[in-house]
Amino acid sequence: DIQMTQSPSSLSASVGDRVTITCRASQGISNSLAWYQQKPGKAPKLLLSAASTLESGVPSRFSGSGSGTDYTLTISTLQPEDFATFYCQQYYSTPYTFGQGTKLEIK
Amino acid sequence: QVQLVQSGAEVKKPGASVKVSCKTSGYTFTGYYMHWVRQAPGQGLEWMGWINPNSGGTNYAQKFQGGVTMTRDTSISTAYMELSRLRSDDTAVYYCARDQGSGYYYYWGQGTLVTVSS
């Protein structure tokens, strides 16, 4: 199974900050990586697929990059509605696996 | 518009089984694989497996093999996930999620809380 390691597990930041979350796969996943945002009591929301493709309706302040085993999600200018938990997911091979999550909190 | 509507919360005793439904609308049900993902309280997301609604073929995570059964009823565009021999650590919110074609999910059900308690 491919292990996905996210860092940090939690992060405190202020509105207007730029934040970066990292996801490392235990083997190469050829950009088969998605990022999700989840708010309490809600289903995850897809932000990006193929490591860097922004989904329809997702603000352009979200961006993704990376290759091979290392990927990042960047939020360029934090907005109040961005505070949530973020997950990466590899869909290169089954069993599909998720990172453990990064909880983004207001400083 | 695409919708995935899941059945309501369940409370089960250890050793029992539970069957969660995911009724779809707004798209061709047989055209997209359906996956099941669960989330224990305060924990992360865990992939359980998928079903091909067209053929009925399935692919389960090894952890769940022998305990999970995914089925579908194409006449009512509904997918099902049945989990047997429930344990307390099966307490979780169970989500159905429609595969976009590559293994990631834009459309999710609202989640079904399954509580396993004696």
Side-chain angles (χ1 to χ4, degrees):
Chain A
D1 299 2
I2 298 175
Q3 308 302 317
M4 304 300 292
T5 303
Q6 261 182 259
S7 61
S9 56
S10 64
L11 177 58
S12 293
S14 301
V15 172
D17 284 354
R18 177 185 179 92
V19 300
T20 297
I21 299 168
T22 298
C23 191
R24 173 166 288 175
S26 59
Q27 65 185 74
I29 57 172
S30 298
N31 287 7
S32 297
L33 185 96
W35 288 98
Y36 299 88
Q37 176 191 53
Q38 187 179 34
K39 295 184 178 179
K42 299 293 188 181
K45 174 187 176 182
L46 179 65
L47 299 175
L48 300 105
S49 60
S52 60
T53 300
L54 199 65
E55 293 300 317
S56 174
V58 176
S60 58
R61 63 180 179 273
F62 291 92
S63 64
S65 65
S67 62
T69 60
D70 295 330
Y71 299 86
T72 60
L73 170 69
T74 299
I75 310 172
S76 60
T77 308
L78 273 175
Q79 298 300 302
E81 62 268 29
D82 298 337
F83 293 92
T85 300
F86 295 84
Y87 294 94
C88 61
Q89 177 220 349
Q90 68 80 17
Y91 51 92
Y92 180 75
S93 66
T94 59
Y96 298 148
T97 45
F98 294 84
Q100 79 276 20
T102 296
K103 187 173 184 179
L104 178 56
E105 299 175 305
I106 301 174
K107 184 183 288 185
Chain B
Q1 71 283 20
V2 174
Q3 287 192 306
L4 283 63
V5 179
Q6 297 183 223
S7 48
E10 303 262 14
V11 179
K12 295 291 183 180
K13 294 193 181 302
S17 297
V18 68
K19 190 171 185 177
V20 179
S21 67
C22 173
K23 183 168 179 58
T24 73
S25 60
Y27 73 98
T28 302
F29 177 65
T30 53
Y32 297 85
Y33 284 28
M34 189 67 76
H35 297 233
W36 290 87
V37 175
R38 77 177 185 179
Q39 186 170 37
Q43 302 302 307
L45 301 164
E46 182 175 30
W47 182 80
M48 300 179 69
W50 56 248
I51 182 168
N52 176 346
N54 188 41
S55 67
T58 55
N59 181 352
Y60 303 143
Q62 187 168 14
K63 172 178 179 177
F64 298 101
Q65 285 183 3
V68 70
T69 305
M70 296 178 188
T71 57
R72 90 292 190 216
D73 185 337
T74 58
S75 69
I76 55 171
S77 301
T78 299
Y80 301 93
M81 186 283 299
E82 184 170 20
L83 195 58
S84 61
R85 300 187 297 276
L86 289 167
R87 303 171 5 153
S88 58
D89 58 2
D90 290 317
T91 294
V93 175
Y94 290 78
Y95 293 101
C96 58
R98 196 195 82 168
D99 193 328
Q100 287 297 96
S102 300
Y104 59 91
Y105 322 113
Y106 187 88
Y107 297 104
W108 294 70
Q110 82 276 19
T112 296
L113 175 62
V114 175
T115 302
V116 182
S117 174
S118 55

